[in-house]
Amino acid sequence: MGTEMKKIVINGGLPLYGDISVSGMKNAALPIIFASILTKDKCVIENLPEVSDVTLSLEILHSMGATVKMLNRNTVEVDTTHFVGGSSPYELVSKLRGSTYLLGAELGRFGEARVGFSGGCDFGTRPIDQHKKGFEALGAVMTIENGCNHIVTGPGGLCGASIYFDIASVGATINVILAAVMTPGRTTIDNAAREPHIVDLANFLNMCGARISGAGTSFIKIQGVERLHGCNYTIIPDMIEAGTYMAAAAAAGGRVTVRGIIPKHMETVTAKLLEMGVEVDECDDSIVVSRTSPLQHANIKTYFYPGFPTDMHPQFSALLAMASGTSTVTEGVFENRFRYVDELKKMNADISVDGRTATIVGPAHLTGAPVKAVDLRGGAALVIAGLAAKGKTEICNVEYIERGYDNIVGKLRGIGADISLVDIPDAVVEKAN
């Protein structure tokens, strides 16, 4: 990284006022980018967030023979006519959790897939056993060879199947959809994940000629088609980015309008903010968040959609640290999502973790401190705490935050935050290492 190390510096304690716009959803963009492989055609994808995970996924496609043209900063044209299966570079896929979707896309197009192990944030084990179960039900054989996941079509060929997932895995649901859209026959997925980005992927593929129904419910039906074609598609707004800005407004106080969102996706977040004494007003495609009175404690348990999103858990821990009384946050999806807690404690938060539950005693009077992002949403939690804290907060490991937030510093500055992105001199970086 050398010369590119940066930190976010926040002088906290200022209320936030104004409008903030939400970018396209990273978690929808990645599967749709990889799904374009199935079309052997040109796709134009709009409302892409300008985040490093999207850049990386487009780099992977380009390195595998796709033509990638940025038409403007949020629109890409991808042509996968000459895409070469099994050629993904390990140094790129190992940095990106979403590179797992290459498995389903390559299997669907070529009847075979070879992909190195994926990267992303470390929340403990994120096994792909449900993906494997789905691929094998369709008639593929999955093995590990030379540090790669290798999938080949079994002797009987690929054929539609009934698949039941033991857990409602988002990744496995996406991968089986990718593998099944051009597999002959009818595939059903029971206990499918229901997240909005699954619906977005299904809508994209249906526009390309797929026959998928039931996305957004726990039972998805896919009728295999012979081929897909390209299309123009606009990514849905990012509900986690929207939720992060809603939590920021609640933490700092003031009045913020979060624009360009789908309020229905925000229902669990909105409900918790209301319970905590925050004022939330829903409009057609925006939500107004304001707070004038002290925050009240609440208990949160994360779960698969439509439950409270695991990706909003760290941001709410930061918010609950300032609430009066004792709150709990129980993590129902990942077993190791509390690594950010030690950083919030440096800012005077009173949080203790036992297993999958954090107990938060408030109200803490947060104070600025030098802290580091340990993952994407944990980094966002530190930004929220920094906005509300007294004094200066400096957050390093900013590259985690940039994986999923498009221009977070510029957007927050636009609503009155004293926040900036600052280069860390090389000498300091070397000393820190």
Side-chain angles (χ1 to χ4, degrees):
M1 299 288 283
T3 54
E4 290 181 14
M5 297 298 277
K6 295 180 187 297
K7 63 183 175 182
I8 289 175
V9 180
I10 305 171
N11 292 301
L14 298 174
L16 304 175
Y17 291 97
D19 292 15
I20 195 163
S21 292
V22 171
S23 300
M25 189 191 276
K26 168 186 92 93
N27 287 343
L30 302 189
I32 286 171
I33 286 167
F34 288 114
S36 71
I37 292 166
L38 294 166
T39 66
K40 305 183 195 173
D41 199 356
K42 269 185 195 166
C43 294
V44 175
I45 306 168
E46 299 178 36
N47 200 31
L48 279 177
E50 214 173 331
V51 298
S52 57
D53 272 12
V54 166
T55 308
L56 202 51
S57 56
L58 292 171
E59 268 179 49
I60 290 170
L61 257 61
H62 175 69
S63 72
M64 299 178 74
T67 307
V68 177
K69 265 190 225 162
M70 291 308 297
L71 303 182
N72 62 45
R73 61 186 287 266
N74 301 113
T75 307
V76 69
E77 180 187 270
V78 179
D79 185 345
T80 59
T81 311
H82 303 295
F83 183 87
V84 180
S87 65
S88 57
Y90 184 74
E91 67 275 10
L92 294 181
V93 298
S94 62
K95 292 181 190 164
L96 182 72
R97 178 70 192 166
S99 61
T100 315
Y101 303 139
L102 274 171
L103 291 168
E106 286 188 22
L107 180 62
R109 175 160 166 180
F110 304 104
E112 182 176 2
R114 186 188 297 275
V115 184
F117 295 132
S118 64
C121 291
D122 174 17
F123 307 134
T125 54
R126 291 165 75 160
I128 61 166
D129 56 328
Q130 299 301 304
H131 305 235
K132 183 172 191 263
K133 180 179 183 177
F135 294 145
E136 293 185 343
L138 295 170
V141 179
M142 185 168 174
T143 54
I144 292 172
E145 284 177 21
N146 306 326
C148 287
N149 287 302
H150 186 210
I151 310 176
V152 293
T153 298
L158 295 180
C159 184
S162 298
I163 297 159
Y164 175 81
F165 287 139
D166 303 312
I167 56 163
S169 159
V170 171
T173 302
I174 287 170
N175 249 335
V176 169
I177 290 172
L178 295 175
V181 283
M182 292 196 297
T183 292
R186 183 171 183 262
T187 297
T188 58
I189 307 172
D190 200 354
N191 198 24
R194 298 161 60 185
E195 271 72 2
H197 40 289
I198 306 260
V199 180
D200 214 30
L201 171 67
N203 288 343
F204 167 76
L205 286 167
N206 285 342
M207 278 186 75
C208 297
R211 295 174 60 192
I212 304 165
S213 58
T217 75
S218 56
F219 191 73
I220 297 176
K221 299 184 282 297
I222 303 163
Q223 187 64 47
V225 296
E226 271 186 36
R227 59 178 297 276
L228 297 176
H229 52 76
C231 74
N232 282 32
Y233 194 76
T234 304
I235 304 281
I236 54 170
D238 194 321
M239 60 187 258
I240 304 302
E241 187 194 9
T244 299
Y245 295 139
M246 289 167 70
R255 181 181 175 86
V256 174
T257 304
V258 185
R259 295 203 177 275
I261 61 177
I262 300 170
K264 181 165 177 42
H265 293 168
M266 309 313 306
E267 282 173 355
T268 51
V269 170
T270 296
K272 276 298 158 195
L273 289 175
L274 289 169
E275 191 184 322
M276 292 174 69
V278 179
E279 292 166 45
V280 185
D281 296 306
E282 283 188 10
C283 311
D284 285 344
D285 64 351
S286 61
I287 288 181
V288 183
V289 179
S290 52
R291 179 173 72 81
T292 46
S293 54
L295 290 165
Q296 303 305 311
H297 63 92
N299 297 328
I300 289 173
K301 184 176 189 336
T302 69
Y303 203 61
F304 302 104
Y305 190 86
F308 189 91
T310 176
D311 276 356
M312 281 303 305
H313 139 186
Q315 300 91 310
F316 264 76
S317 291
L319 191 57
L320 290 166
M322 296 173 254
S324 59
T326 301
S327 304
T328 59
V329 177
T330 304
E331 177 52 51
V333 180
F334 295 119
E335 75 266 32
N336 180 23
R337 192 140 210 181
F338 290 103
R339 288 166 60 227
Y340 66 88
V341 165
D342 287 341
E343 302 304 309
L344 283 178
K345 282 181 173 175
K346 293 175 187 172
M347 301 177 71
N348 202 33
D350 182 349
I351 307 178
S352 53
V353 178
D354 181 11
R356 286 190 171 211
T357 300
T359 303
I360 305 169
V361 182
H365 297 289
L366 298 181
T367 51
V371 289
K372 65 176 188 287
V374 294
D375 56 52
L376 168 56
R377 308 304 174 184
L382 297 176
V383 171
I384 289 168
L387 292 170
K390 188 175 179 196
K392 183 197 278 191
T393 298
E394 300 192 359
I395 306 168
C396 63
N397 291 5
V398 172
E399 63 276 10
Y400 279 116
I401 300 170
E402 290 175 340
R403 282 192 43 222
Y405 290 95
D406 182 347
N407 189 23
I408 189 170
V409 169
K411 287 184 182 185
L412 287 169
R413 198 185 293 133
I415 53 171
D418 181 347
I419 181 171
S420 47
L421 192 59
V422 178
D423 286 321
I424 303 175
D426 273 4
V428 178
V429 175
E430 279 155 30
K431 208 160 111 190
N433 290 341

